[in-house]
Amino acid sequence: MTGAAGFVGAHLCRRLGAAGAKVFAVSRSARAVATDIPGQHWLHADIAVAPECERVVRDAAPDVVFHLASVVRGSRDRSLVRPTFEANLASTVYLLDALADSGGGRFVQLGSLEEPDSPEATPCSPYAAAKAAASGYARMFAELYGLGAVVARVFMVYGPGLQDADKLVPYVITRLLEGQPVQLASGRRRVDWVYVEDVAEGLVLLGANADRLAGRTLDLGSGELSSTGAVVRRLYALLAPGEEPPFGTLPDRAAEVVRAAGADETERMLGWRARVGLDEGLARTVEWFRGRGPSTLAP
């Protein structure tokens, strides 16, 4: 598993470990083995470097590759073009090629709701462009080279453990808990929110069924849209009742993608559906932040 030290990766490692799987967790920095996750073994490699990627696949000899590692930044800034190309696209190509060289196997590519739906649509960010191209390579390896590769198009995942200051939910929770001012855009954007444990369960099922579903893209989302403003108001009700969120103190980001997951299709093909509702998921997330002590998130 690449990206095993990240938010979704940590939850997926725990889910796989609980099922008795042996998980080779790949990290760019040397790490001690996490003793609280059974079956987890850390490998040190930069998968954006082809020889290192090949070594990892050779040493682990995986039945399934979960490719979660990426630069996750939705900024439109041109400085992200090369980092997202290397981390999100080049690494995917190297992994697919190494897996095919090893005799094949199952491959789960973590896609994104920001990927455009058609070749004619313009990606809204360097991140979206790299993710769309990576998903295209996964489908190509399935079609041309017989690899059991599938794409999990994950929607706006949130939950305990997410500590990214660029993400709305952890940012608002942390600022409110610390009594710091909150800055917000208009709150009008509508998003499909999905709880991280539901996503981990969906990824496990995709890994088990990748041969049968090779070449497909399946959505992991709730299938429902809720505005960012509605989510912020829920968080204020839990943490700062009676206070009014300061919407409009930041500009809206250009070219935001608004899309609901094809939940019915995913349930039909995979037997998976998101189970944790937004109110329950946000309450669980707030409780996790309450119990973790002072924040390390930047303003």
Side-chain angles (χ1 to χ4, degrees):
M1 183 191 308
T2 73
F7 169 51
V8 175
H11 283 269
L12 181 56
C13 278
R14 293 185 187 281
R15 173 64 182 81
L16 289 168
K22 184 177 183 180
V23 180
F24 289 93
V26 183
S27 173
R28 282 176 296 189
S29 58
R31 299 176 60 96
V33 173
T35 56
D36 62 331
I37 301 179
Q40 188 180 61
H41 307 267
W42 286 101
L43 297 176
H44 178 209
D46 183 352
I47 58 167
V49 177
E52 293 193 35
C53 186
E54 292 161 4
R55 172 178 58 81
V56 163
V57 172
R58 184 173 60 251
D59 291 350
D63 295 313
V64 186
V65 172
F66 293 95
H67 184 30
L68 277 58
S70 69
V71 170
V72 186
R73 293 285 304 279
S75 169
R76 279 58 172 153
D77 196 285
R78 193 168 66 86
S79 66
L80 288 172
V81 171
R82 289 193 180 187
T84 53
F85 165 78
E86 292 166 356
N88 301 2
L89 178 55
S91 66
T92 304
V93 174
Y94 297 152
L95 274 172
L96 288 163
D97 209 31
L99 191 61
D101 281 343
S102 73
R106 287 167 281 163
F107 185 93
V108 180
Q109 163 70 13
L110 198 72
S112 169
L113 71 90
E114 293 202 1
E115 295 177 37
D117 269 338
S118 69
E120 293 77 23
T122 302
C124 65
S125 65
Y127 169 79
K131 277 292 190 181
S135 294
Y137 269 97
R139 292 191 295 269
M140 183 193 75
F141 267 78
E143 178 68 25
L144 297 184
Y145 310 124
L147 209 63
V150 295
V151 178
R153 185 160 61 183
V154 176
F155 282 66
M156 190 65 78
V157 60
Y158 71 98
L162 179 57
Q163 301 181 61
D164 185 346
D166 290 330
K167 301 297 184 183
L168 179 70
V169 170
Y171 167 75
V172 172
I173 292 174
T174 303
R175 301 296 280 179
L176 291 178
L177 284 174
E178 297 184 349
Q180 299 294 323
V182 177
Q183 292 185 301
L184 300 165
S186 70
R188 289 192 292 265
R189 184 190 180 193
R190 299 171 71 214
V191 177
D192 186 327
W193 305 84
V194 59
Y195 192 64
V196 64
E197 290 180 5
D198 282 335
V199 171
E201 185 64 28
L203 291 172
V204 169
L205 288 172
L206 278 171
N209 291 276
D211 287 329
R212 177 175 64 84
L213 298 171
R216 291 186 176 273
T217 296
L218 291 182
D219 291 349
L220 297 183
S222 69
E224 300 177 359
L225 294 172
S226 296
S227 71
T228 54
V231 167
V232 169
R233 290 189 185 280
R234 283 174 162 93
L235 294 175
Y236 266 70
L238 291 168
L239 293 166
E243 291 188 28
E244 184 66 21
F247 294 116
T249 50
L250 292 176
D252 286 337
R253 199 162 61 180
E256 292 282 24
V257 175
V258 177
R259 175 188 295 145
D264 291 341
E265 173 72 2
T266 301
E267 185 173 30
R268 185 177 68 83
M269 298 298 300
L270 191 64
W272 176 93
R273 198 170 193 101
R275 299 185 183 279
V276 180
L278 192 52
D279 286 331
E280 181 183 352
L282 291 175
R284 291 186 191 179
T285 306
V286 167
E287 285 308 304
W288 182 84
F289 272 93
R290 285 187 191 275
R292 63 181 293 270
S295 170
T296 57
L297 283 181

